[in-house]
Amino acid sequence: MNRLHQYVTEHNNCTHCPGLDRCPNDFEGHYSMITVESSGEQTRIYDQKVACKKFIAREAQEAIRGRIRSFYVDERALSQGYSSMEILDKDPEREVAVEQIIDYILRTRQEGLQKNGMYLAGAFGTGKTFLMCYLLYELAKDGFTGAIVYMPDFAEDLKTMFQDPLKLKETIDVLKETDLLVFDDIGAENLNPWLRDHVMGAILNYRMNRKPTFFTSNHDLDALEKHFSFTSKDGDEEYKGRASWTGSGPLSRWSW
């Protein structure tokens, strides 16, 4: 009778679910499932705890989110998914860029991890970071790991990491090994030769022809090349980057 009472009570709670955070059941996000087995003249009742749909959905969401590392980027941008139609309808002016992002996601799902990444250039507030978070989230659903790094804060934090070689190595290793890497707002950081050559150079050299790297910037590639060729210590130097352009619009796409 206790089992039957528990089943009825929890079934009623689930019917009028107040949400996972206020779940009144004994085991949050679970309800009692009753099974009956007959053997000869005896009938036995068994109960077991079963996860509800909302709990399963939250677990799946956390699994997706757990595949993405955020360095100094607001994690709310990575906390939920959007449909492709929502993305397209959000701002018609960036439709070309959005279509290329969606095409990249579909191609990766069909063919596996790509070697080329993307370069999104556009003015402040055009949604470059949002689109990269969307790409990471969508591909995390398919099991790919990702990391997004806000470059201005990353450059500043590296100064303190220099005093902690172990933390520095761990951070660089994460950025080397993750399936998808985004450098957000590149060109806005306070550049120095050590960051350019020993951190960025090491990461990009390791990932080249292995895993895709993505960039967002307020600069086009000519301006970014100047940024990376100049340092306050060494003066003007040639930056040996290679890029090819495909597409147009407020957010241009580049293969790196």
Side-chain angles (χ1 to χ4, degrees):
M1 291 301 295
N2 287 336
R3 292 173 180 173
L4 290 174
H5 179 267
Q6 183 82 2
Y7 168 77
V8 172
T9 300
E10 294 188 348
H11 179 77
N12 184 62
N13 290 339
C14 289
T15 301
H16 304 89
C17 177
L20 280 178
D21 293 338
R22 293 185 295 161
C23 179
N25 291 347
D26 291 343
F27 188 11
E28 181 185 277
H30 292 70
Y31 60 91
S32 295
M33 175 68 73
I34 294 291
T35 56
V36 179
E37 291 185 5
S38 297
S39 177
E41 296 181 355
Q42 291 186 331
T43 300
R44 294 183 179 274
I45 297 176
Y46 299 92
D47 66 320
Q48 61 180 0
K49 295 294 185 182
V50 178
C52 69
K53 292 181 179 179
K54 291 185 178 180
F55 183 86
I56 293 172
R58 186 175 71 179
E59 289 288 290
Q61 175 80 9
E62 290 177 354
I64 292 169
R65 183 63 192 86
R67 298 187 187 107
I68 308 172
R69 296 283 300 272
S70 173
F71 294 83
Y72 323 103
V73 174
D74 189 347
E75 296 198 6
R76 286 177 296 180
L78 295 162
S79 63
Q80 66 181 55
Y82 298 85
S83 72
S84 58
M85 292 308 298
E86 284 180 295
I87 300 293
L88 283 168
D89 292 343
K90 205 169 184 67
D91 185 354
E93 291 187 1
R94 62 181 187 185
E95 183 175 326
V96 173
V98 173
E99 288 177 348
Q100 291 172 351
I101 292 283
I102 294 172
D103 177 69
Y104 190 97
I105 292 169
L106 294 176
R107 191 166 65 251
T108 301
R109 285 174 172 165
Q110 293 169 358
E111 302 172 4
L113 197 63
Q114 305 291 299
K115 291 183 179 180
N116 290 338
M118 302 179 75
Y119 188 99
L120 292 184
F124 178 79
T126 50
K128 302 181 296 295
T129 302
F130 173 80
L131 288 179
M132 286 293 98
C133 288
Y134 171 72
L135 180 142
L136 292 179
Y137 184 91
E138 287 299 306
L139 290 179
K141 293 179 181 178
D142 297 283
F144 294 104
T145 59
I148 182 168
V149 182
Y150 182 60
M151 284 301 296
D153 287 350
F154 181 57
E156 290 301 312
D157 203 30
L158 281 173
K159 296 175 183 177
T160 61
M161 286 190 204
F162 190 69
Q163 308 299 323
D164 187 349
L166 180 59
K167 182 180 179 182
L168 176 62
K169 183 180 184 304
E170 289 176 349
T171 301
I172 292 176
D173 285 347
V174 167
L175 301 184
K176 282 181 176 180
E177 297 292 348
T178 190
D179 292 332
L180 307 151
L181 174 61
V182 178
F183 286 117
D184 187 40
D185 209 5
I186 193 167
E189 70 282 347
N190 184 14
L191 188 66
N192 61 64
W194 179 72
L195 167 62
R196 182 192 62 187
D197 300 334
H198 298 287
V199 178
M200 293 291 293
I203 294 169
L204 294 176
N205 184 63
Y206 181 86
R207 296 181 63 83
M208 190 175 297
N209 295 322
R210 287 191 181 98
K211 298 179 179 182
T213 306
F214 305 81
F215 304 86
T216 76
S217 182
N218 295 335
H219 303 294
D220 61 24
L221 280 179
D222 289 336
L224 187 69
E225 184 173 351
K226 280 187 178 180
H227 173 74
F228 273 96
S229 67
F230 175 79
T231 69
S232 58
K233 179 179 178 181
D234 299 327
D236 291 319
E237 300 173 353
E238 181 182 0
Y239 176 66
K240 298 178 180 178
R242 297 183 61 188
S244 59
W245 177 83
T246 56
S248 60
L251 297 176
S252 301
R253 175 196 173 201
W254 300 74
S255 297
W256 189 272

